[in-house]
């Protein structure tokens, strides 16, 4: 079926949920990665219900038309870009919170629910949802699940996969399946719920999620601001905190270039030359005792650090951390990367980044979730196309992370930008198995084709 006929079928079935305006089509071609597809998609369909999603997938299967599922477009790997001949299926309008179950500590939500809004509602009941990406004010729960987005709190409270109990998923042919369970335990059959988390829209469309929620942690929140003469020393200090058996709720690290960029963006005083910054929070009844132990470790490692239990101070320090990515956009087009290494190898990974900077004559502003070894090295360039030397530097960075026992991505996903290196990490046998799983779920290769694989 030709594109006009596909469009007619969509409009007949879904009416004004189908858009072909220049503004909507242009927006669907890009995301926060900065990558832009070569051409506009056929249409953007704003689903309002599970039935709408099923309708789109049935039309797609009948006509052989590819579908790209999209939430808020905050992804950083180019995983939700619509292109020529494709339908972009937006779940941003699916925003119902179906249930908040306090006795069982679970909630049932639509995929378009904004992460920050969800937590604001939970907080009024003394509850919260642990996944905490830096984009929480604008990113959706469904998008967080589809990419496995993590955030600042993963080291203590788990990654997104740990927070997902069950999902409803629309398959490529329009069938609706329910995977997972509402109980804490459940090992019936293969774990398709975990398979769907981080699957980046290539296996099915997540249309509802049953997630774990938590009661607010009682006690004080203590925040530590630490400064170190260089980033390798700072990384070694954060690894020493972990090695000492202390479990902060948040432990973030900004290298000197990243720290200067954020201070300029927020119009804060310029930090001391060459200093790296660490912000650490402890929570719970023993927060102040744990913070005192953290201070001792940081100072012994060569840092200067101070602790506060003032809420506003803590929020200010975290706002500085969260402002990194928008701050980089002032200096050019950022390519925001995402590798993870064992926490004991964090200092070695920062040393590798320094070697790459000197070899290519570039700066790579880097922030790290130091509590779990997840680094976000950033390449900033002019224009919209990533220069060859930047890709070469990125490849060396990925290779270094793998050599240190790490992974290509801790929370952003593979998308478009990293698929060429997927086999380097997985190996031929595992890559073949993953292709087979994709074929089983999506035999016509309609779901997000060209992404991940």
């Amino acid at each position: 079926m030709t594109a006009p006929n596909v469009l007619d079928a969509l409009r007949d079935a879904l009416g004004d949920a189908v858009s072909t305006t220049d503004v909507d089509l242009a927006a669907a071609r890009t995301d926060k990665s900065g990558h832009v597809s070569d051409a506009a998609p056929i249409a953007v369909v704003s689903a309002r219900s599970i039935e709408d999603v099923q309708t789109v997938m049935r039309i797609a299967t009948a006509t052989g038309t590819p579908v790209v599922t999209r939430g808020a477009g905050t992804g950083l790997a180019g995983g939700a870009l619509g292109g020529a001949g494709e339908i972009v299926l937006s779940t941003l309008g699916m925003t119902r919170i179906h249930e908040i179950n306090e006795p069982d500590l679970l909630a049932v939500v639509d995929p378009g629910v904004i992460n920050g809004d969800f937590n604001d509602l939970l907080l009024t009941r003394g509850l919260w949802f642990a996944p905490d990406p830096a984009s929480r004010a604008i990113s959706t729960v469904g998008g967080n699940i589809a990419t496995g987005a993590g955030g600042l709190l993963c080291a203590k409270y788990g990654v997104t996969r740990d927070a997902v109990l069950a999902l409803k998923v629309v398959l490529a042919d329009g069938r609706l399946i329910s995977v997972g369970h509402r109980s804490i335990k459940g090992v019936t059959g293969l774990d398709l719920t975990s398979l769907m988390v981080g699957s980046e829209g290539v296996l099915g469309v997540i249309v509802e999620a049953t997630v774990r929620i938590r009661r607010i942690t009682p006690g004080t929140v203590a925040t530590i601001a630490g400064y170190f003469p260089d980033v390798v020393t700072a990384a070694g200090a954060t690894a020493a905190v972990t090695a000492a058996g202390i479990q902060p709720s948040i432990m973030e690290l900004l290298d000197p270039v990243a720290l200067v960029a954020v201070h300029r963006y927020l119009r804060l005083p310029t930090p001391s030359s060459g200093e790296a910054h660490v912000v650490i929070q402890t929570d719970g009844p023993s927060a102040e005792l744990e913070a005192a132990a953290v201070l001792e470790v940081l100072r012994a490692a060569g840092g200067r650090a101070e602790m506060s239990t003032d809420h506003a101070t803590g929020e200010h320090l975290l706002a500085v951390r969260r402002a990194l990515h928008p701050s980089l956009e002032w200096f050019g087009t950022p390519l925001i990367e995402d590798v993870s290494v064992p926490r004991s190898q964090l200092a070695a990974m920062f040393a590798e980044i320094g070697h790459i900077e000197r070899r290519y004559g570039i700066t790579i502003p880097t922030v790290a979730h130091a509590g779990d070894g997840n680094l976000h090295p950033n390449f900033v360039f002019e224009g919209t196309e990533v220069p060859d030397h930047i890709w070469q530097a990125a490849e060396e960075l990925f290779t270094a992370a793998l050599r240190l026992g790490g992974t290509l991505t801790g929370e952003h996903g593979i998308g478009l930008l990293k698929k060429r290196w997927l086999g380097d990490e997985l190996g031929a046998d595992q890559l073949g198995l993953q292709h087979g799983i994709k074929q089983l779920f999506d035999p016509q290769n309609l779901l997000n084709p060209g992404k991940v694989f």
Side-chain angles (χ1 to χ4, degrees), residues 80-245:
L81 309 187
E86 297 177 335
I87 302 165
V88 171
L89 173 57
S90 171
T91 58
L92 195 57
M94 298 175 67
T95 58
R96 289 182 60 196
I97 296 175
H98 299 271
E99 179 183 359
I100 295 175
N101 186 316
E102 295 185 35
D104 289 332
L105 287 178
L106 63 83
V108 182
V109 303
D110 276 358
V113 170
I114 300 296
N115 188 299
D117 293 346
F118 181 38
N119 254 321
D120 288 344
L121 175 62
L122 291 174
L123 282 171
T124 65
R125 305 185 184 204
L127 304 165
W128 64 295
F129 179 55
D132 180 44
S135 60
R136 64 181 182 173
I138 53 174
S139 61
T140 63
V141 173
N144 295 164
I145 294 170
T147 59
L152 279 63
L153 293 160
C154 293
K156 184 170 184 178
Y157 292 105
V159 295
T160 297
R161 180 174 281 106
D162 300 320
V164 179
L165 288 169
L167 297 168
K168 287 185 179 179
V169 179
V170 173
L171 299 178
D173 60 6
R175 286 178 294 160
L176 176 68
I177 62 170
S178 297
V179 298
H181 40 75
R182 291 169 64 97
S183 56
I184 297 298
K185 292 182 177 179
V187 293
T188 305
L190 300 178
D191 187 357
L192 297 186
T193 310
S194 291
L195 181 64
M196 287 294 170
V197 178
S199 61
E200 302 188 52
V202 304
L203 302 180
V205 183
I206 295 169
V207 291
E208 186 180 283
T210 300
V211 297
R212 298 176 190 268
I213 54 179
R214 295 172 176 269
R215 294 188 176 90
I216 293 294
T217 305
T220 302
V221 174
T223 305
I224 294 169
Y227 295 88
F228 291 83
D230 60 82
V231 71
V232 174
T233 303
T238 61
V241 170
T242 302

Side-chain angles (χ1 to χ4, degrees), residues 147-372:
T147 59
L152 279 63
L153 293 160
C154 293
K156 184 170 184 178
Y157 292 105
V159 295
T160 297
R161 180 174 281 106
D162 300 320
V164 179
L165 288 169
L167 297 168
K168 287 185 179 179
V169 179
V170 173
L171 299 178
D173 60 6
R175 286 178 294 160
L176 176 68
I177 62 170
S178 297
V179 298
H181 40 75
R182 291 169 64 97
S183 56
I184 297 298
K185 292 182 177 179
V187 293
T188 305
L190 300 178
D191 187 357
L192 297 186
T193 310
S194 291
L195 181 64
M196 287 294 170
V197 178
S199 61
E200 302 188 52
V202 304
L203 302 180
V205 183
I206 295 169
V207 291
E208 186 180 283
T210 300
V211 297
R212 298 176 190 268
I213 54 179
R214 295 172 176 269
R215 294 188 176 90
I216 293 294
T217 305
T220 302
V221 174
T223 305
I224 294 169
Y227 295 88
F228 291 83
D230 60 82
V231 71
V232 174
T233 303
T238 61
V241 170
T242 302
I246 308 166
Q247 183 63 78
S249 57
I250 291 174
M251 185 155 59
E252 298 292 301
L253 192 163
L254 287 88
D255 78 358
V257 179
L259 186 60
V260 168
V262 172
H263 275 237
R264 286 179 182 171
Y265 176 70
L266 296 176
R267 294 184 172 87
L268 299 174
T270 302
S272 299
S273 177
E275 279 196 328
H277 174 50
V278 172
V279 57
I280 299 174
Q281 281 192 340
T282 57
D283 61 2
S286 301
E288 291 189 67
L289 288 174
E290 290 179 340
V294 170
L295 281 174
E296 191 173 319
V297 172
L298 297 185
R299 290 167 178 166
R304 55 184 178 85
E306 299 294 335
M307 184 266 285
S308 173
T309 57
D310 177 63
H311 176 76
T313 299
E315 287 301 303
H316 168 73
L317 288 168
L318 292 182
V320 169
R321 158 60 187 91
R322 293 183 192 277
L324 174 62
H325 294 154
S327 77
L328 295 178
E329 293 174 354
W330 274 29
F331 299 97
T333 304
L335 175 65
I336 302 168
E337 287 303 344
D338 165 45
V339 296
S340 286
V341 296
R343 289 172 291 191
S344 61
Q345 297 297 321
L346 194 62
M349 188 65 213
F350 271 105
E352 291 285 350
I353 292 170
H355 296 327
I356 294 167
E357 287 179 315
R358 291 187 288 274
R359 192 150 48 244
Y360 287 88
I362 59 177
T363 58
I364 308 174
T366 302
V367 64
H369 305 306
D372 55 31

